[in-house]
Amino acid sequence: MQQVAINGYGTIGKRVADAVRQQPDMEVLGVAKTRPNFEAETAIDKGFPLYAAVEERTELFAEAGLEIAGPVEDLVAEADVVVDATPSGIGAQNKALYEEYDTPALYQGGEDADLVDVSFNARSNFEDAVDADHVRVVSCNTTGLSRVIAPLREEYGVEKVRATLVRRGGDPGQSDRGPINDILPNPVTIPSHHGPDVETIFPDLDIDTLGMKVPATLMHMHSLNVTLEEDVDAADVRNLFADESRLFLIPERMDIDGSGKLKEYALDAGRPRGDLWENCLWAESISTEGRDFYCFQGIHQESDVVPENVDAIRAVTGAADAEESIATTDEALGIGLR
Ligand code: NAD
């Protein structure tokens, strides 16, 4: 059993902790937090040993009546792998800690690519992360793009990707984010940083991305155009994608017209927190015109990177190959909406 530490128990960290716990070959050794809040209380209720991420704040937990198992250093020292799910930029500050204890570390998409040896997407470049010490699980948007690009590249070859990313202003719990009543080109410069980020997974890919932010919290929406290296038929692309467990082709019969109904469906289906770990592609939107492919996909920013973190744990520990890891993760979580 791989012993996994989770440093940073917020939106991503708490989901990764639950996902790790569901795997047959790994255990949550503990989770580290900076302050006692509702998430700290939930961690204790779930039986996750809680460690103090910042020494000077340890007594805040005692004042809140929460038992601390020790300082984060103890957790990192004991762990086989640490998943750093702290806010952007804090992972970089924590790198020295992981190096001090010689514990392989996974970082999230908010960190710079040059912090790590490998940027990771399980479907696209699992092998690059085998036995690496510092791996970055790419952002929700980059994960969503990579999962579509990988099979298209393998099957048809990709000449050029153009993607417009309509991004949620903040997560549901982020009461300080916006816009509240606006539509922002964000960033206003083109290309957005997402294209270069996808190139950390596919270094030779030609991709341009445009970003916007809108007053929504549920999901991102991607409008995609990929020019392939050969003429393609939309039905063939649909069949190709149907074999990909992390691509959910929303069937027309379900009458799901947007992010709201997608989330409702996930909740009705009993998904924890209404999470949608898969890219959600509208099957009807999959269209082709000669070598050009088009589609719309919804990306649940809070959860699509969660199975990727689980797979990255197996990659850095050499515990499984890509196919085996993805299958194990999918089965343990129940991934594969149809
Ligand atoms: P978050 O703010 O929800 O959670 C971060 C947690 O880390 C909080 O509990 C915070 O208290 C804690 N923390 C802060 N400083 C810490 C420290 N020094 N040591 C330990 N814990 C500390 O953030 P998040 O949304 O989970 O994002 C985490 C990372 O995941 C970022 O790199 C982000 O870019 C990336 N990411 C976020 C999303 C998303 O939509 N939320 C999607 C993909 C990737």
Side-chain angles (χ1 to χ4, degrees):
M1 290 293 240
Q2 302 290 346
Q3 301 296 317
V4 181
I6 308 210
N7 191 15
Y9 189 78
T11 304
I12 301 297
K14 65 187 177 187
R15 287 174 165 82
V16 171
D18 287 351
V20 164
R21 176 176 262 180
Q22 283 177 262
Q23 304 305 310
D25 54 348
M26 45 185 91
E27 281 174 359
V28 178
L29 187 63
V31 304
K33 273 201 66 66
T34 47
R35 64 198 168 100
N37 66 353
F38 74 95
E39 283 159 332
E41 296 205 13
T42 315
I44 299 251
D45 290 346
K46 288 184 177 216
F48 293 134
L50 185 62
Y51 288 74
V54 180
E55 196 184 347
E56 309 84 71
R57 298 208 204 151
T58 309
E59 63 193 42
L60 296 178
F61 290 92
E63 285 166 16
L66 299 181
E67 192 186 333
I68 285 291
V72 67
E73 288 77 8
D74 290 0
L75 179 62
V76 172
E78 287 290 310
D80 295 314
V81 188
V82 56
V83 179
D84 186 296
T86 60
S88 304
I90 306 286
Q93 295 172 22
N94 288 337
K95 186 177 183 183
L97 170 69
Y98 309 141
E99 284 181 328
E100 186 182 339
Y101 292 97
D102 209 11
T103 307
L106 310 183
Y107 306 85
Q108 306 305 313
E111 303 302 325
D112 288 340
D114 58 14
L115 178 73
V116 296
D117 312 315
V118 182
S119 290
F120 178 89
N121 171 251
R123 175 63 179 80
S124 311
N125 70 341
F126 185 101
E127 288 73 21
D128 293 350
V130 172
D131 294 332
D133 287 330
H134 301 280
V135 170
R136 182 180 72 116
V137 175
V138 291
S139 74
C140 45
N141 281 309
T142 304
T143 296
L145 290 169
S146 299
R147 286 177 179 168
V148 168
I149 292 166
L152 289 176
R153 265 167 71 99
E154 285 167 17
E155 190 69 16
Y156 308 112
V158 166
E159 186 178 299
K160 171 108 188 164
V161 180
R162 299 171 187 85
T164 301
L165 314 181
V166 181
R167 297 147 66 212
R168 57 85 178 108
D171 295 337
Q174 288 178 311
S175 49
D176 56 343
R177 296 271 290 251
I180 290 175
N181 180 22
D182 211 339
I183 302 172
L184 312 178
N186 184 280
V188 71
T189 49
I190 295 166
S192 69
H193 62 273
H194 305 93
D197 203 42
V198 176
E199 287 165 349
T200 67
I201 300 290
F202 307 105
D204 59 345
L205 185 72
D206 186 358
I207 175 168
D208 287 340
T209 51
L210 291 81
M212 285 187 256
K213 265 194 191 179
V214 297
T217 62
L218 298 180
M219 294 176 80
H220 301 300
M221 184 78 76
H222 294 176
S223 155
L224 270 178
N225 165 218
V226 181
T227 305
L228 302 162
E229 288 178 352
E230 57 187 77
D231 283 8
V232 286
D233 196 58
D236 290 340
V237 181
R238 270 184 225 120
N239 286 338
L240 176 73
F241 285 174
D243 288 339
E244 298 284 325
S245 65
R246 294 183 187 172
L247 301 182
F248 167 41
L249 302 192
I250 306 164
E252 189 178 354
R253 64 166 198 279
M254 283 195 174
D255 196 20
I256 290 175
D257 63 0
S259 312
K261 287 205 183 75
L262 269 174
K263 288 287 289 176
E264 193 71 8
Y265 172 51
L267 286 161
D268 287 352
R271 287 289 182 93
R273 303 182 177 92
D275 281 350
L276 287 153
W277 299 295
E278 305 89 343
N279 293 19
C280 302
L281 281 82
W282 275 268
E284 297 155 86
S285 75
I286 295 175
S287 309
T288 55
E289 178 77 40
R291 291 191 293 131
D292 276 313
F293 155 83
Y294 301 89
C295 77
F296 287 119
Q297 64 172 354
I299 298 295
H300 185 219
Q301 73 281 355
E302 297 173 287
S303 70
D304 74 331
V305 298
V306 170
E308 308 295 329
N309 273 274
V310 173
D311 292 328
I313 291 168
R314 292 201 189 89
V316 298
T317 55
D321 65 18
E323 202 180 330
E324 199 186 332
S325 178
I326 291 171
T328 306
T329 306
D330 289 356
E331 194 186 338
L333 294 181
I335 288 181
L337 290 171
R338 282 289 172 262

